[in-house]
Each structure stands twice: as structure tokens, then as C-alpha cells.
Amino acid sequence: MSFTICQPHAHLSPPLPPMSILRRLNPSHLTLHRRLATVAAAVRQDTTLWTPAPLSRVEPAAESLFHVRVDLSDAPDLASSYTRAGQYLQLRVPDVEKPSFLAIASPPALAAKGVFEFLVKSVEGSIAELLCGLKKGDVVELTQAMGKGFEIDRIEPPENYPTVLIFATGSGISPIRSLIESGFNADKRSDVKVFYGARNLDRMAYQDRFKDWEASGVKIVPVLSQPHDGWTGQSGYVQAAFTRAKQVYNPLSTAAVLCGQKQMAEEVTSILLADGVASEKILKNF
């Protein structure tokens, strides 16, 4: 999963001169200014608090996806920083300075028991591939949880928003798992659906949890872009499947949650807004 992160301490870097001044500076001055900005950025990075913690589980979740569990029993401050589904953090693997941003897949209640879980897509040549190649007992470093998460209070009380449409693709199902298992009064809403897109069933994680999710009041709608022979469910892309399956709903009492591929999120957002769903009722985790 990728994120566009705003630097919270951008005021610590040297202030940029007006463009009129920059135009008059010679190339050496511009180079110096860029170096100062780079150094300032490095200082900001160095002030990040990293907490070491051992892995307690690394195993396949689906094709190219891995379950990764971190033991936080000796890091209570880190565990307590996670308070809302949809938050994420940075993780570093041994001997590699560059971190990876990961959404936390487990609900905050599990963090209270000393556990963070992640759903990690292993991409060749990436930090994620190195992480998925580690084993139980290996130590990684993590920052505290960041981000506002899914602001569920915007779609409460449940009787005012009986319809909640959730959209996820690939490893974007990770924070959606946290949302479902954290609970958002799905059983008190009349129509909660998750449109979950993957290439095929081999690449669809958490299938073993679908039964429990549906028992909590969340209907799962798998959408496969390249299904194997014999597939009779929804096919194609999530946004197209939603358009085909879309029933009449009241946009004033409808909310949505999105996480995953950028194009999907943009197109689904456009559809919902065109239908009259309020933008503040379309929740994202960053």
C-alpha cells in the first residue's frame, strides 16, 4: 500500500526564498540551498523514534501476500499509539535504512495484547520483499502509529447511515480488516457491503475470515479481474462491478470507505459524488 504523506514538521527546514530571488541566484547558490534543504530533511528523518521488536509470524496469506506479526510485549508505548483502524506506520528491516509504510491490519484491541499484524505484498526488489523473507525472531524497527485512520464518527449513529459501501483492492484490504474487526456497528446497519478486488482467488487474502465478517453484518463481494475458469461471481474491476451491481440507495443516508488502488478510489469516489453521497461521508485513511 502506498501513501502520500505530508511532512508534519516542514517548518523546520530553511524557508524558501521568493521566486523572484531564486531567479537572480546563480546555480551555485541554488545548489547550496538544495543541499541545506536535503540536510534539514535528513535531520527530520533522524529524529524519528524507532522501536525494535521481534517478528512472531511470517507466512503466506495468498499469492504474493504475507501475514507478518510483530511482538510488542516489550514495547507498550508503541502498542498504545494505535487507536483507530486505518492508521499506519513506518517499518525498517535489518541493515536497510529506507523504511516501508504499512497499514496495520489487526484491530487496536489486538495491539492492547501486544501484537501488530500486517498484510504485506512482496514486490521484487522492494523493502517489502526483504520483510517477507525474514523469519520468526528476526528484529525489525517500527515508528509509532500515524494518521487519522478511518473517521467512523462521521458516519454515526448507525441508524442515520444504514448503507455503508466499502471498497478495497489487493493489500488495501489490510486496514479494512482492522475496521471490520474493530466494529463500526455493522450489525445495526441494514446494508454493509465490501467490494473486494483481486486478480483471482489465489491472490485474495483473508478468505478464511469472510464467514466471521459476514456474521458481523458485513457482506463480502469478491471481484476478480482475471478469474479462473468456472468463476460465477463478479468479474472485472471493482468500480465496474459496483456500477453493475448498484441498487437504488438513498445518498443522504449512505457512507463509503475506500482503500487500495488509486484509480479505483478515484473512480468510485466520482461515482458516489455523482450519485449525491456527501464527500465527508467518503472515508479514506490518509
Side-chain angles (χ1 to χ4, degrees):
M1 184 171 185
S2 62
F3 297 93
T4 302
I5 306 299
C6 296
Q7 288 287 353
H9 302 298
H11 62 279
L12 296 179
S13 59
L16 290 172
M19 287 303 299
S20 59
I21 297 176
L22 284 175
R23 292 190 187 99
R24 295 198 300 270
L25 291 175
N26 63 40
S28 63
H29 288 148
L30 290 174
T31 300
L32 176 60
H33 186 82
R34 292 192 188 103
R35 286 176 180 170
L36 287 172
T38 300
V39 169
V43 169
R44 289 199 302 275
Q45 181 66 27
D46 289 344
T47 61
T48 301
L49 176 63
W50 294 96
T51 301
L55 300 176
S56 57
R57 180 189 185 194
V58 181
E59 63 184 33
E63 185 179 314
S64 78
L65 293 170
F66 286 78
H67 293 299
V68 175
R69 176 183 290 175
V70 181
D71 180 0
L72 303 177
S73 55
D74 292 329
D77 289 346
L78 173 56
S80 64
S81 71
Y82 179 38
T83 59
R84 182 184 281 175
Q87 288 184 292
Y88 52 89
L89 49 69
Q90 295 181 78
L91 183 149
R92 291 195 307 204
V93 301
D95 303 319
V96 179
E97 289 189 9
K98 183 178 179 181
S100 180
F101 284 93
L102 295 173
I104 304 170
S106 48
L110 201 56
K113 299 178 180 179
V115 173
F116 274 175
E117 291 184 342
F118 304 93
L119 179 67
V120 183
K121 182 177 181 180
S122 179
V123 178
E124 186 176 355
S126 69
I127 304 299
E129 182 185 35
L130 297 176
L131 173 60
C132 295
L134 298 179
K135 60 185 184 299
K136 180 179 179 179
D138 287 338
V139 174
V140 295
E141 292 183 318
L142 307 94
T143 65
Q144 293 200 334
M146 298 180 287
K148 57 183 171 55
F150 297 118
E151 296 180 296
I152 295 301
D153 54 308
R154 292 189 188 180
I155 60 172
E156 297 287 354
E159 57 268 22
N160 289 357
Y161 301 96
T163 298
V164 178
L165 305 170
I166 303 174
F167 303 87
T169 54
S171 59
I173 195 65
S174 173
I176 299 302
R177 172 205 155 186
S178 177
L179 175 65
I180 295 171
E181 296 180 6
S182 295
F184 59 104
N185 292 313
D187 59 341
K188 297 179 181 178
R189 306 178 195 264
S190 58
D191 183 20
V192 180
K193 292 189 181 74
V194 177
F195 291 85
Y196 177 12
R199 179 176 297 180
N200 51 52
L201 287 177
D202 293 338
R203 295 204 172 195
M204 182 164 279
Y206 298 142
Q207 293 180 55
D208 58 330
R209 295 177 177 269
F210 287 179
K211 185 176 179 180
D212 289 339
W213 291 357
E214 297 217 338
S216 73
V218 179
K219 179 176 174 57
I220 309 300
V221 183
V223 183
L224 306 182
S225 60
Q226 298 178 28
H228 297 310
D229 293 341
W231 173 249
T232 58
Q234 290 286 345
S235 59
Y237 293 117
V238 163
Q239 51 271 45
F242 170 56
T243 300
R244 289 194 303 269
K246 189 168 59 172
Q247 299 175 343
V248 177
Y249 60 88
N250 181 356
L252 299 180
S253 60
T254 296
V257 183
L258 285 76
C259 192
Q261 202 262 349
K262 182 179 178 181
Q263 183 178 350
M264 178 278 291
E266 291 177 346
E267 293 186 11
V268 168
T269 298
S270 295
I271 294 169
L272 294 170
L273 292 175
D275 284 347
V277 177
S279 60
E280 64 270 19
K281 307 304 178 184
I282 302 174
L283 308 184
K284 302 174 184 178
N285 67 326
F286 65 97

